[in-house]
Structure formats: C-alpha cells, structure tokens
C-alpha cells in the first residue's frame, strides 16, 4: 500500500472525515506530490485539506505548523498585523522549534534533524557561490571551466523562454527562465529550446516537441522529447 498513492490518500481522507487530524508523511518528493494530487482528486473542494490562500498544499517543516497551531490555540483571538511579530517568532524561532521536537518525541526529532540538515546543505551550497564585496570584483577570480553545481557531477539545466508566460505566483512578473534539475534533464539536446504556445484552458497539451503551453496556474512544456509540468506543486515530468 505504501506505493499506492490513491490508497494512502483514501485512507487518510476516510480518517479525516471521521474527525481525525491526519498527517501524511512521504519520504520522496514524487510520492508526496502523488499523494497530494490523489487527495485533491478524491476531495477537490474539501475544507479538510490544509490550505494557503484557499489552495491545498504540503508544507515541508511540520514543526512550524505545529508551533503555529499551538499559538493559535493558546489565545481566544489574534489581531493582525499588530501581532504578526509574536506569531512569526513564536512559530519559527530555532529555540522554539528545537524545544517542540524534544517535547514531541523521536519521530519529531528525526524530522527536525532532516530539516536542519537540508538547511545546512543549502547554506553550504550557497556559500560556494558567494563573492566578497569588500574586494574589487576583478580580484575575485573564478577558476576557468568550473561551474557551481548542487550535486557532485550534476549540472542543472536553465531554460529561457523567448516569450515568457506570467509567473504562477506573481502574475505581474514574467517567468523568464526555469531551472530543470539535472536528473530531469539528462539526455535532452543542448540546443533544445521551448517555444511559448497558448492553448484553450479545457484542452489537453498539444503541439510538437519543443512546444510550451501555458494556461491558468499551470505551465506545461516539452523540451526535446520530454514533457514537464510546472505549477504550485513545483516542476515535475509530465508523465508523473
């Protein structure tokens, strides 16, 4: 059952409909997305799903959600934005999150370790690309032939749109480029370029390889012989 996203979603939804507060943990991004999609398909307008801006979503650091929930329950009401700082600091401060993980036991401590490890890894990767602004730019040499990669031996693919569609999260900002992770971009010809092409919202993606289609909050495009979907769940192969 663990690999059957619809079955996992159905069991979680059944428990939630019976009054339980359900948390579904998946150990891969693809499994999390598949389960989220299965839940939304089974209960498209259900208020049982966690939401942000009226859209159901998955949140990476569950400690923040639990801390926020506890803060909300501790008061009869909150006045925003006057109490924003108290709410944000009380739900995101490292000491608060550490104490919460300790209080909730081993499973939460493991989750905290994964979140902290991810943060440290991201900081280390970012540090590799830092430039010392205190010295002249011409003195900040960069080794020839070197690139900054997120994984050893891997190089992400940056796709530039000739006629950018609007950003999914800020429609007034054009989506000029999109980064495709190395593992999604292997085997695609270096000269493959996407071409923007609008389609009717109700229609399926059409067009030859190399065609990008944008409709509403979802962008679908093909690069070479491979298709992708980019929406609020992130970027993923279209075959998923």
């Amino acid at each position: 059952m663990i690999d059957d996203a619809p079955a996992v979603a159905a069991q979680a939804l059944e428990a939630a409909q019976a009054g339980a507060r359900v948390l579904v943990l998946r150990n891969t991004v693809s499994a999390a997305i598949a389960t989220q999609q299965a839940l939304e398909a089974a209960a498209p307008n259900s208020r049982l799903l966690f939401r942000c801006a009226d859209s159901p979503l998955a949140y990476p650091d569950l400690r923040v959600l639990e801390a926020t929930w506890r803060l909300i329950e501790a008061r009869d009401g909150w006045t925003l934005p006057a109490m924003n700082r108290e709410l944000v600091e009380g739900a995101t401060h490292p000491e608060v999150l550490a104490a919460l993980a300790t209080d909730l036991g081993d499973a939460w401590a493991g989750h905290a370790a994964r979140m902290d490890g991810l943060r440290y890894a991201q900081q280390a990767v970012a540090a590799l690309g830092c430039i010392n602004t205190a010295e002249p730019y011409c003195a900040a040499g960069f080794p020839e032939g070197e690139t900054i990669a997120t994984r050893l031996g891997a190089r992400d693919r940056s796709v530039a749109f000739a006629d950018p569609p609007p950003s999914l999260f800020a429609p007034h900002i054009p989506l000029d480029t999109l980064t495709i992770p190395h593992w999604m971009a292997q085997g695609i010809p270096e000269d493959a370029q996407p071409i923007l092409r609008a389609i009717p919202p109700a229609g399926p993606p059409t067009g030859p390889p190399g065609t990008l289609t944008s409709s509403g909050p979802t962008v679908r495009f093909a690069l070479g012989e491979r298709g992708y979907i980019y929406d609020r769940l992130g970027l993923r192969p279209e075959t998923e």
Side-chain angles (χ1 to χ4, degrees):
M1 176 180 172
I2 191 67
D3 295 323
D4 188 343
V8 173
Q11 184 170 332
L13 184 59
E14 181 181 0
Q17 289 171 335
R21 289 197 293 178
V22 182
L23 173 65
V24 180
L25 298 178
R26 307 309 304 267
N27 63 353
T28 66
V29 173
S30 59
I33 290 176
T35 305
Q36 180 77 12
Q37 290 175 323
L39 275 170
E40 293 179 17
N45 298 311
S46 176
R47 305 305 300 181
L48 294 173
L49 302 183
F50 181 79
R51 293 172 177 266
C52 178
D54 206 36
S55 294
L57 52 79
Y59 199 89
D61 194 337
L62 302 177
R63 298 173 299 170
V64 176
L65 293 181
E66 178 63 22
T68 302
W69 188 263
R70 292 188 177 196
L71 286 170
I72 292 173
E73 289 184 327
R75 287 181 176 272
D76 293 332
W78 287 81
T79 302
L80 301 178
M83 301 170 72
N84 273 2
R85 181 168 183 173
E86 180 181 352
L87 183 61
V88 172
E89 291 185 355
T92 62
H93 195 284
E95 292 182 4
V96 172
L97 300 184
L100 189 64
T102 300
D103 180 51
L104 292 175
D106 293 343
W108 284 81
H111 175 69
R114 287 190 294 274
M115 291 297 99
D116 290 342
L118 177 62
R119 177 167 56 87
Y120 295 145
Q122 291 172 336
Q123 290 174 346
V125 170
L128 296 176
C130 287
I131 296 176
N132 184 0
T133 57
E135 65 180 12
Y137 183 76
C138 59
F142 197 83
E144 293 185 5
E146 295 290 337
T147 58
I148 299 174
T150 57
R151 298 175 180 85
L152 291 177
R155 184 176 181 181
D156 295 342
R157 178 78 172 267
S158 181
V159 176
F161 302 132
D163 187 9
S167 169
L168 305 183
F169 306 102
H172 61 286
I173 300 176
L175 182 65
D176 296 312
T177 61
L178 195 62
T179 299
I180 303 177
H182 173 76
W183 66 271
M184 287 190 193
Q186 296 182 70
I188 297 178
E190 289 293 329
D191 59 352
Q193 296 293 331
I195 301 173
L196 185 65
R197 179 173 178 267
I199 60 171
T206 59
T211 297
L212 180 145
T213 61
S214 174
S215 177
T218 300
V219 173
R220 290 183 173 89
F221 65 96
L223 194 66
E225 297 295 331
R226 203 167 303 164
Y228 301 91
I229 294 175
Y230 178 57
D231 56 17
R232 62 184 176 78
L233 296 175
L235 177 69
R236 60 193 183 279
E238 192 170 17
T239 54
E240 285 192 0

